[in-house]
Amino acid sequence: MAHVNNGVPFDPQAFENVRIDLPALKRRAATLGTKRCVKKAYQAAWLMRCCSVIDLTTLAGDDTDANVMRLCHKAAKPIRPDLVKALGMENFKITTGAICVYPNQVAVAKKYLKAINADHIPIASVATGFPAGQTPLKMRLEEIRMAVADGATEIDIVINRTKALQGDWQTVYDEVKLMKEACGAAHMKAILAVGELGTMENVYKASMVCMQAGSDFIKTSTGKEGVNAILPVGLVMVRAIRDYLAATGIKVGFKPAGGIRNAKQGLTWLMLMKEELGDEWVKADLFRIGASSLLIDVERQLYHYVYGRYAAEHQLAMS
């Protein structure tokens, strides 16, 4: 990823008086999935772009080396070779944007990616007491350092929702800043856990505070909350990114995660990014989708485009 956010001094004036018109926000979000579409060859091209921005994820309690190995193989060759050839994209070397695993699986992922000559694919690791973030700060920071030492090139941290809900944005800023320092050269994505922030105003405030503290990306959710990646929340966050860019000149990436399971949803998120932030934000250095099952439906739709029928389940490799 080319873009780095070194942060700015804490400035509550950038967000403390924000007010959000919820009905207008919902109306704008509702039009994204219903009044826009891409068809035929254009849709196939957008689906390939969608594939290239997925953080292919496994965050389960029963993760094993075999699960991670399968994830690495799928990330390196996400679309069947015959489909890639039919689309004329053999020379583009399409991979997913990254793979995303728990910290204790980072070394395993690094080993398997190297074994299949795919160690250029970024390894993202969740950290900081994911998903709750309710462990002592010292432990959260050490978890980051351990994941980076094992080979993680991206770290997905979770913010302190307790402090956010109490309005203690200075502490949220201070903690995220320390987490950014612990990441070293690894890029940091700050997970807001929007389903636990209570209001859209808090979503905007948390977005701005994390960017001020140096987050290279802001991310909607852990995928474990009751409300995860939904379009109204995405609009609030990308407009915070736009405001931060206008104020500082710094580009920050965006990652929706949780509940994005089918190709149509993936395309709608791409449309949101293109319309709200522009073409730079539909590429992997500034946009990712956190998902475990989205890729299968993307490949399924590409199969239909090429062959005119849907593949049977056994014809597409698991992710």
Side-chain angles (χ1 to χ4, degrees):
M1 299 193 317
H3 298 281
V4 176
N5 176 20
N6 292 317
V8 297
F10 179 65
D11 179 15
Q13 292 185 348
F15 57 83
E16 60 187 1
N17 294 319
V18 66
R19 295 292 183 270
I20 293 172
D21 184 338
L22 192 57
L25 180 71
K26 289 181 175 179
R27 282 196 302 273
R28 165 68 173 138
T31 64
L32 282 164
T34 58
K35 293 186 178 180
R36 293 152 182 82
C37 66
V38 284
K39 295 292 187 182
K40 299 184 178 179
Y42 297 102
Q43 184 182 82
W46 276 62
L47 288 170
M48 292 298 282
R49 175 56 57 85
C50 185
C51 168
S52 73
V53 300
I54 293 173
D55 279 3
L56 195 60
T57 302
T58 181
L59 296 171
D62 60 354
D63 280 342
T64 63
D65 288 9
N67 290 3
V68 176
M69 179 176 66
R70 186 175 70 235
L71 196 78
C72 292
H73 278 281
K74 187 67 173 177
K77 294 184 177 179
I79 306 298
R80 280 179 34 156
D82 58 319
L83 302 181
V84 174
K85 184 177 180 180
L87 293 166
M89 300 196 70
E90 304 100 312
N91 295 329
F92 286 85
K93 298 179 181 178
I94 298 292
T95 68
T96 62
I99 64 166
C100 184
V101 295
Y102 275 119
N104 65 329
Q105 296 290 349
V106 169
V108 176
K110 183 177 180 180
K111 179 181 73 173
Y112 283 125
L113 286 174
K114 185 176 182 180
I116 60 174
N117 296 316
D119 48 358
H120 58 285
I121 297 174
I123 300 172
S125 174
V126 295
T128 63
F130 178 95
Q134 292 282 9
T135 53
L137 179 61
K138 184 177 180 180
M139 294 175 63
R140 284 180 275 155
L141 296 175
E142 185 59 26
E143 190 177 24
I144 293 172
R145 297 186 190 103
M146 290 175 66
V148 172
D150 281 348
T153 54
E154 301 175 2
I155 299 292
D156 290 23
I157 62 106
V158 289
I159 69 166
N160 189 330
R161 277 89 85 194
T162 300
K163 297 300 181 183
L165 289 168
Q166 291 170 344
D168 186 356
W169 297 109
Q170 179 71 63
T171 297
V172 175
Y173 173 89
D174 292 341
E175 289 190 357
V176 174
K177 192 172 179 63
L178 288 171
M179 292 171 187
K180 177 63 181 284
E181 292 171 3
C183 286
H187 282 247
M188 187 177 80
K189 308 188 196 90
I191 307 172
L192 308 188
V194 293
E196 296 176 351
L197 288 179
T199 67
M200 289 295 182
E201 284 79 8
N202 276 347
V203 171
Y204 184 93
K205 291 174 182 179
S207 299
M208 194 61 73
V209 169
C210 287
M211 290 187 288
Q212 289 180 356
S215 296
D216 300 300
F217 266 68
I218 52 174
K219 176 179 171 181
T220 59
S221 322
T222 66
K224 313 294 185 182
E225 295 90 52
V227 176
N228 293 294
I230 57 173
L231 292 170
V233 164
L235 274 168
V236 171
M237 293 175 68
V238 299
R239 289 184 178 180
I241 289 171
R242 197 163 67 190
D243 291 346
Y244 185 75
L245 174 63
T248 67
I250 300 171
K251 297 173 182 177
V252 174
F254 176 64
K255 178 179 174 179
I260 304 174
R261 297 185 177 90
N262 63 58
K264 184 177 180 180
Q265 291 173 309
L267 294 182
T268 302
W269 281 101
L270 280 169
M271 291 172 189
L272 182 152
M273 301 307 293
K274 181 175 175 62
E275 291 190 10
E276 292 288 329
L277 290 171
D279 288 344
E280 279 191 88
W281 273 266
V282 297
K283 300 175 184 177
D285 57 346
L286 285 170
F287 180 58
R288 301 287 182 80
I289 299 174
S292 55
S293 56
L294 171 63
L295 180 55
I296 292 293
D297 194 53
V298 168
E299 190 176 17
R300 181 170 172 264
Q301 299 303 327
L302 287 168
Y303 187 101
H304 184 273
Y305 172 74
V306 170
Y307 293 115
R309 64 184 188 278
Y310 286 110
E313 187 174 352
H314 69 273
Q315 291 178 291
L316 301 177
M318 295 173 64
S319 57

